[in-house]
Amino acid sequence: ATYQRTRTMASNDKSERRSDSSSEEEQSGSIGKEVEFKQNSNDDENDIEKESSLDRGDEAKSKEETANPPTKKKRKVHKLSMTQTEDFNAKLKKRGVIYIARIPPKMSPTKIKKLLQEIVQETGAEVTRVYLVEEDPTVRKRRRKDGGNGSKRYIEGWVEISSKKVAKHVALSLNNTPISNQKRNTHFGDLWAVKYLSKFQWSHLTEKVAYERRVKEQKLRLETLQARKETAAYKQLVETGKKLDKIEERLHRKRKKGQNSKPSPSSSRKRSNVKQVTPTDDGATKSTHKSLLGSLV
């Protein structure tokens, strides 16, 4: 009996210990879950606060942009003083212009500037501006069709030099002289055709170019107007021709119908337009006449 009592007591102690350990584990698990839930809720609240702060910042930026729209930065205009402008105009008056009557093929503005700069450099002057006139594009197309070189060519040109004396000297020295004496050079055998233009300034050339451009634009405008008028007149003539063709077709159909259905000679006679109101019988009229005569007798 004592052995059984001790055994039961030991089993009861073990069960109590197990129940206490399980309750402690449950309590620790519930506490851990509560902590995790709190941490997650705190993280969500922080994310919401961040999003709300970002939204507020975007709204503030948009309000600022609407209130103060972005303005383009104005370019700085460097104004020249009177002395600077006078000096610049004086420099322009000192410059001279030479005219090149013929420009050989494979000669570009940069090449001409380089060649003349080598000659002018000895005197201390410089080549300021170069302008070359391109050939007509139709001529270039024709040359390509014939199998020639399709590169761009120039007809004539003007060159501005910083000194009038140097420009005059260059024109006199280069005129009717070979461009290069090297046999392998592409311009071997070509001669300079240069002339100095006295009392000529670069502004005259720009005015001339602008005037020619305006004239060309006006000619193109007139040509387009003339072409539009011609197309409108042609369309009108086509429409009238179509109408006349339709009329002729109708008349032709009517004539065909008339030839197919010829009228008979009986139907061609004229019919009287008198309408008969009551029918007439010869026997009835004779009987009435006889009765009238008998009554009179």
Side-chain angles (χ1 to χ4, degrees):
T2 55
Y3 175 73
Q4 286 180 355
R5 286 175 186 172
T6 54
R7 198 172 179 181
T8 53
M9 289 289 285
S11 63
N12 290 326
D13 292 332
K14 285 181 182 178
S15 63
E16 285 176 0
R17 286 174 186 173
R18 285 175 185 173
S19 63
D20 293 333
S21 63
S22 63
S23 64
E24 285 177 359
E25 286 176 358
E26 286 176 359
Q27 287 177 1
S28 63
S30 62
I31 290 162
K33 286 179 181 178
E34 288 176 359
V35 170
E36 286 178 359
F37 179 73
K38 286 179 181 178
Q39 286 178 355
N40 291 327
S41 62
N42 290 327
D43 292 335
D44 294 334
E45 287 176 359
N46 291 326
D47 292 333
I48 291 161
E49 286 178 359
K50 285 179 183 178
E51 288 177 359
S52 62
S53 63
L54 289 170
D55 293 333
R56 286 170 188 169
D58 293 333
E59 288 176 0
K61 283 181 182 178
S62 63
K63 285 179 182 179
E64 286 178 0
E65 286 177 357
T66 52
N68 299 317
T71 56
K72 291 181 179 180
K73 291 182 180 180
K74 292 182 179 180
R75 292 180 180 178
K76 289 182 180 180
V77 179
H78 298 284
K79 293 181 180 180
L80 294 172
S81 61
M82 287 298 292
T83 55
Q84 287 176 343
T85 52
E86 285 173 1
D87 293 338
F88 182 70
N89 290 327
K91 284 180 183 178
L92 288 175
K93 285 179 182 178
K94 286 178 183 178
R95 292 177 182 178
V97 181
I98 59 173
Y99 171 69
I100 302 170
R102 180 187 173 275
I103 294 164
K106 296 182 181 179
M107 183 73 82
S108 62
T110 53
K111 203 167 186 179
I112 285 174
K113 190 173 183 179
K114 188 179 178 182
L115 290 169
L116 293 174
Q117 187 65 38
E118 288 175 358
I119 298 162
V120 172
Q121 205 168 12
E122 298 173 357
T123 58
E126 62 176 352
V127 178
T128 53
R129 285 180 278 195
V130 178
Y131 175 73
L132 302 181
V133 180
E134 293 181 7
E135 67 177 351
D136 194 6
T138 55
V139 177
R140 189 180 174 188
K141 284 181 182 177
R142 201 179 298 120
R143 190 172 65 251
R144 274 184 179 176
K145 283 182 181 179
D146 295 337
N149 191 4
S151 61
K152 194 183 286 185
R153 289 186 184 178
Y154 300 94
I155 304 165
E156 56 184 358
W158 289 264
V159 180
E160 189 185 45
I161 298 170
S162 59
S163 177
K164 286 183 180 180
K165 289 181 182 179
V166 175
K168 195 172 184 180
H169 177 70
V170 167
L172 290 169
S173 62
L174 285 180
N175 195 23
N176 289 326
T177 58
I179 293 171
S180 73
N181 295 318
Q182 296 176 359
K183 289 185 179 180
R184 291 185 180 180
N185 197 341
T186 54
H187 304 296
F188 179 75
D190 292 325
L191 300 175
W192 286 107
V194 185
K195 186 182 179 181
Y196 173 71
L197 301 174
S198 61
K199 296 179 182 179
F200 188 85
Q201 293 180 358
W202 198 260
S203 59
H204 300 155
L205 179 63
T206 53
E207 286 173 3
K208 181 193 171 188
V209 171
Y211 174 72
E212 287 176 354
R213 194 176 292 160
R214 270 187 259 113
V215 169
K216 193 175 181 180
E217 287 175 357
Q218 194 171 1
K219 280 182 181 178
L220 285 169
R221 204 179 292 115
L222 290 169
E223 285 175 1
T224 51
L225 287 170
Q226 187 68 24
R228 283 176 185 172
K229 284 181 182 179
E230 287 176 359
T231 51
Y234 178 73
K235 284 180 181 178
Q236 193 172 0
L237 288 170
V238 168
E239 288 176 358
T240 52
K242 285 180 180 178
K243 287 178 182 178
L244 291 170
D245 290 338
K246 285 180 181 179
I247 291 163
E248 285 180 359
E249 284 178 1
R250 287 173 188 171
L251 291 171
H252 189 63
R253 287 173 188 170
K254 284 181 181 179
R255 285 171 189 168
K256 277 187 176 180
K257 284 180 181 178
Q259 287 176 2
N260 292 330
S261 60
K262 287 182 180 179
S264 60
S266 61
S267 63
S268 62
R269 291 178 184 176
K270 290 182 180 180
R271 293 179 181 179
S272 61
N273 292 324
V274 179
K275 291 182 179 180
Q276 188 175 355
V277 179
T278 55
T280 57
D281 289 328
D282 294 332
T285 52
K286 286 179 181 178
S287 61
T288 50
H289 284 299
K290 284 178 182 180
S291 59
L292 286 168
L293 289 169
S295 61
L296 288 170
V297 172

